[in-house]
Structures are given as structure tokens and as C-alpha cells.
Amino acid sequence: VMQINWAEFTPILSLLGGMLIGGAALLLMLANGRVMGVSSILGGLLGKAEPKNWRLAFIAGAILAPVLIVQSGLYDIPVQRVANGAPLYIAAFLVGLGTAIGSGCTSGHGICGLSRLSARSFVAVAIFITTAIITVYMFRHGAG
């Protein structure tokens, strides 16, 4: 029987976060005509894509915003490392491989692709969610 962890149930903060992410995706599409897919933004920053200034600002903001919020003390978030060493590098490699095979990441397909009613994104998100469910089940029940 699955139960809700009421101490970590934050529907208002989740709604606000979702609205901010959706708003950012809309603004990027209106301002630059670009989909807010982190893998393509990062790939463009590391590759030959032009211009790089908005890509750098996006990645810097994605990294710095949570750090600044935690440092400000406005929102007390306990930091818990879930992986390090080889499992961390293997997971990072698999995420990168998945974004290359799937032609995008969860943000690109899940937020922007679904909002544009992309069939390819619907299939990708269904695979993401199915894989996540299987992984959680295996780690909770199969791998001890």
C-alpha cells in the first residue's frame, strides 16, 4: 500500500514551480523560437550553434538558482547525495545516451513537446515514465 509522505507533499510549491517552468518555456519560444530542451541548449553551448549568450545564461541560471535559494535560507532543502563514484558516472552516461537516442531530453519532450501535441514526444514521455517505474520497482523490490 502506497502512502503519501505528508511532510514532503508540497502542492502549492509544485504548482508554482510548474508555472515558472511553463512560463520560461513559453518565453523562450516567443523570444527565440526555440524549444526549452536542456540537452539541445547544452549541446548548442558546447557545439557550433550560434548565438551562445542565451544558452549560457539558461544553463547558468539552471545551476545557480537552486544554489542561491538554498544559500538564502528562504527554503530549507536538505541536500542528500543519491549517487557518487561509478554509479554517478554510469547514470550520467546513460542519460546522455538516452537523450541522443531519443532526440531530446525530458524537458524538451515532456514540457515543450507535449504542449505542442508532438506524437514523437508522447512516445518518448511514455518510455521515460515506464522506464522510471520499472527502475524504482527494481531498486525497491528486486535489488534489495
Side-chain angles (χ1 to χ4, degrees), residues 31-57:
N32 286 5
R34 301 293 312 207
V35 170
M36 191 181 76
V38 177
S39 61
S40 63
I41 293 171
L42 183 60
L45 182 63
L46 299 175
K48 295 181 181 182
E50 296 293 334
K52 295 194 184 301
N53 56 350
W54 71 268
R55 295 172 192 274
L56 183 59

Side-chain angles (χ1 to χ4, degrees), residues 1-126:
V1 175
M2 192 165 102
Q3 296 199 356
I4 294 176
N5 180 349
W6 291 104
E8 295 180 17
F9 182 65
T10 57
I12 302 298
L13 288 175
S14 300
L15 175 64
L16 291 174
M19 290 170 63
L20 286 171
I21 291 169
L26 178 62
L27 285 174
L28 185 61
M29 180 61 78
L30 291 174
N32 286 5
R34 301 293 312 207
V35 170
M36 191 181 76
V38 177
S39 61
S40 63
I41 293 171
L42 183 60
L45 182 63
L46 299 175
K48 295 181 181 182
E50 296 293 334
K52 295 194 184 301
N53 56 350
W54 71 268
R55 295 172 192 274
L56 183 59
F58 184 93
I59 298 298
I63 293 169
L64 292 175
V67 171
L68 293 174
I69 288 173
V70 170
Q71 294 299 321
S72 72
L74 294 174
Y75 188 67
D76 186 25
I77 305 168
V79 177
Q80 178 182 355
R81 181 172 277 204
V82 295
N84 58 20
L88 176 65
Y89 296 115
I90 292 168
F93 172 77
L94 290 174
V95 167
L97 182 63
T99 61
I101 292 170
S103 299
C105 58
T106 53
S107 58
H109 284 297
I111 297 166
C112 300
L114 291 180
S115 67
R116 294 181 304 128
L117 303 175
S118 166
R120 182 176 77 160
S121 292
F122 179 79
V123 171
V125 170

